[in-house]
Amino acid sequence: SVSLSTRTHGAVFNLEYSPDGSVLTVACEQTEVLLFDPISSKHIKTLSEAHEDCVNNIRFLDNRLFATCSDDTTIALWDLRKLNTKVCTLHGHTSWVKNIEYDTNTRLLVTSGFDGNVIIWDTNRCTEEGCPHKKFFHTRFLMRMRLTPDCSKMLISTSSGYLLILHDLDLNKSLEVGSYPILRARRTTSSSDITSSGSSGPRAVGSPCHQNNSGTPSEKTLSRPSQREGGSPRNSLEVLTPEVPGERDRGNCITSLQLHPKGWATLLRCSSNTDDQEWTCVYEFQEGAPVRPVSPRCSLRLTHCIEEANVGRGYIKELCFSPDGRMISSPHGFGIRLLGFDAHCSELVDCLPREASPLREIRSLYSHNDVVLTTKFSPTHCQIASGCLSGRVSLYQPKF
């Protein structure tokens, strides 16, 4: 491992590589964004006052443009060719902005925050007066929002234990309460009870710190877009309460949400409402026709899970898939664990179990002196980055 360090900049909340892997950006607690060359480990630049509060998330739109969001309620656009000033600042959220996504089909920026709003931004029409935007969706206790790789679905996790899925996504239509078809709230299933169903009752609200802040399908089956019987309308909303081991009666907070790079599965980091347990869980997307039009079968099935180290309570730990989807890198105490679906790092479609199985620990890497909060695979090189609560960033690469 190699340690990247500059002056004190507080905790590292997010790491993001540029699509070509040439730049590693670091979102810091104390208003800064750091930029490194991940190959030479050299410091490129520090954006010392990128925001007026914690920087939470970074997202590249292409190899040169990237966006940052902050607890100061704003989003900033940056150009790697001219880092001395922001391209523009986006105002629209009323609370901490925690997540940024980019729809490559419509070229719209999508952000979410603790105000419960998902906002759409047309960054191609930014002027000195601002950027055209609209509120797309709203829900209470919103934690994380992600788009599937093909941008056909939006997933939203909440601190009250719900996972919302908007199917056949259409970002050009704003969703007000009651304007979208709601598919029944359901608990995610394991293979053994895939035909059972039932509405889920309200879940307990997450802890105060979180509030602040059957056979094996083929690859073709897993990767094809959802085609619901009868042609369900755009932006159909499905409400799920994902099954978490040991949490059936206690509820949980979904703190981290990631998507498999091929769109086959979703990856969740969940913590119990009492903050005494954390789990990493993988859920396969179950595509196809519903059991009956008014009550479609659950879109997700728990396939793999593992209990995590219960440290750094109240902080969100951001985990990730490898670029090929065969491994998961997960913050674990003062380091990271590399997890696989089996001991050979097989593809998910080649080792789908009939019932939920443990993720296999491939390797543990410990080089920090504080709790690791975020980790990221390089999209182009054999490299993993991790960042911790005391501000250290470490790079790991295999010895051949």
Side-chain angles (χ1 to χ4, degrees):
S1 66
V2 176
S3 176
L4 308 179
S5 61
T6 57
R7 62 185 179 84
T8 302
H9 46 259
V12 173
F13 286 157
N14 184 237
L15 298 164
E16 186 71 16
Y17 286 88
S18 59
D20 61 5
S22 63
V23 177
L24 172 64
T25 56
V26 183
C28 301
E29 178 184 17
Q30 296 179 7
T31 76
E32 296 181 344
V33 173
L34 312 179
L35 292 92
F36 292 94
D37 180 338
I39 306 305
S40 66
S41 303
K42 292 183 178 179
H43 175 238
I44 298 174
K45 189 174 181 64
T46 296
L47 309 178
S48 57
E49 295 182 358
H51 288 274
E52 296 179 359
D53 208 333
C54 305
V55 184
N56 296 316
N57 192 236
I58 301 174
R59 175 75 181 192
F60 275 85
L61 284 60
D62 53 36
N63 282 321
R64 61 182 181 84
L65 289 173
F66 66 95
T68 60
C69 64
S70 169
D71 282 357
D72 67 5
T73 76
T74 70
I75 302 97
L77 291 181
W78 305 85
D79 191 326
L80 287 175
R81 300 169 299 181
K82 188 180 179 183
L83 290 170
N84 292 329
T85 182
K86 303 174 185 177
V87 175
C88 62
T89 301
L90 312 181
H91 299 270
H93 284 280
T94 58
S95 186
W96 304 346
V97 189
K98 293 294 185 180
N99 204 189
I100 307 172
E101 290 287 278
Y102 184 64
D103 186 335
T104 53
N105 298 327
T106 61
R107 296 185 179 181
L108 295 173
L109 198 69
V110 190
T111 61
S112 67
F114 278 5
D115 55 6
N117 292 326
V118 176
I119 296 180
I120 309 299
W121 310 82
D122 187 351
T123 55
N124 293 314
R125 296 169 55 198
C126 285
T127 65
E128 294 180 356
E129 286 72 37
C131 180
H133 64 279
K134 63 179 180 180
K135 184 168 72 173
F136 176 72
F137 188 80
H138 177 85
T139 186
R140 298 177 65 193
F141 310 125
L142 189 154
M143 287 291 294
R144 287 291 186 265
M145 172 273 305
R146 299 287 180 192
L147 301 180
T148 53
D150 63 0
C151 301
S152 66
K153 297 181 181 67
M154 177 184 290
L155 280 73
I156 298 172
S157 67
T158 72
S159 60
S160 53
Y162 287 112
L163 184 66
L164 314 180
I165 305 178
L166 285 165
H167 295 275
D168 302 314
L169 189 65
D170 181 3
L171 292 178
N172 293 312
K173 179 181 179 181
S174 295
L175 299 179
E176 302 297 337
V177 174
S179 69
Y180 42 83
I182 299 180
L183 311 181
R184 290 178 59 189
R186 309 172 67 87
R187 189 172 195 63
T188 57
T189 56
S190 61
S191 296
S192 59
D193 60 2
I194 196 168
T195 58
S196 65
S197 65
S199 297
S200 301
R203 305 298 300 273
V205 175
S207 62
C209 51
H210 287 138
Q211 286 301 312
N212 290 333
N213 45 17
S214 250
T216 302
S218 65
E219 176 175 341
K220 182 178 179 181
T221 301
L222 280 171
S223 60
R224 72 169 183 261
S226 174
Q227 296 294 329
R228 298 185 177 274
E229 188 176 287
S232 62
R234 304 294 296 272
N235 296 329
S236 297
L237 177 65
E238 184 175 15
V239 184
L240 306 173
T241 50
E243 176 187 355
V244 179
E247 295 296 318
R248 285 187 177 272
D249 301 319
R250 295 199 296 164
N252 62 84
C253 173
I254 305 173
T255 58
S256 181
L257 168 65
Q258 301 291 340
L259 275 299
H260 189 282
K262 296 179 182 178
W264 294 345
T266 183
L267 176 65
L268 305 183
R269 181 76 171 247
C270 305
S271 63
S272 63
N273 286 344
T274 53
D275 254 356
D276 60 352
Q277 278 187 311
E278 288 192 19
W279 291 85
T280 288
C281 302
V282 178
Y283 301 85
E284 166 214 356
F285 277 108
Q286 298 184 111
E287 305 292 9
V291 176
R292 56 184 185 272
V294 295
S295 181
R297 73 180 186 184
C298 182
S299 288
L300 297 178
R301 178 175 73 92
L302 178 64
T303 62
H304 298 82
C305 58
I306 193 169
E307 190 167 3
E308 297 284 7
N310 185 34
V311 295
R313 296 186 182 187
Y315 284 95
I316 296 171
K317 289 88 173 186
E318 297 286 4
L319 62 177
C320 65
F321 278 108
S322 61
D324 61 4
R326 292 172 179 259
M327 284 198 299
I328 294 165
S329 181
S330 174
H332 188 262
F334 286 16
I336 61 175
R337 287 195 299 189
L338 300 183
L339 306 170
F341 304 115
D342 63 13
H344 307 290
C345 295
S346 300
E347 292 271 19
L348 177 61
V349 292
D350 295 329
C351 54
L352 279 172
R354 291 184 177 274
E355 296 185 3
S357 299
L359 287 164
R360 300 293 294 270
E361 184 174 333
I362 307 301
R363 184 66 59 85
S364 293
L365 306 170
Y366 297 99
S367 66
H368 292 271
N369 58 5
D370 211 333
V371 178
V372 173
L373 300 181
T374 183
T375 178
K376 195 75 174 182
F377 280 92
S378 168
T380 55
H381 301 92
C382 293
Q383 186 180 80
I384 312 168
S386 62
C388 73
L389 187 57
S390 60
R392 175 175 175 171
V393 177
S394 292
L395 298 179
Y396 310 90
Q397 50 194 46
K399 292 181 179 179
F400 294 105

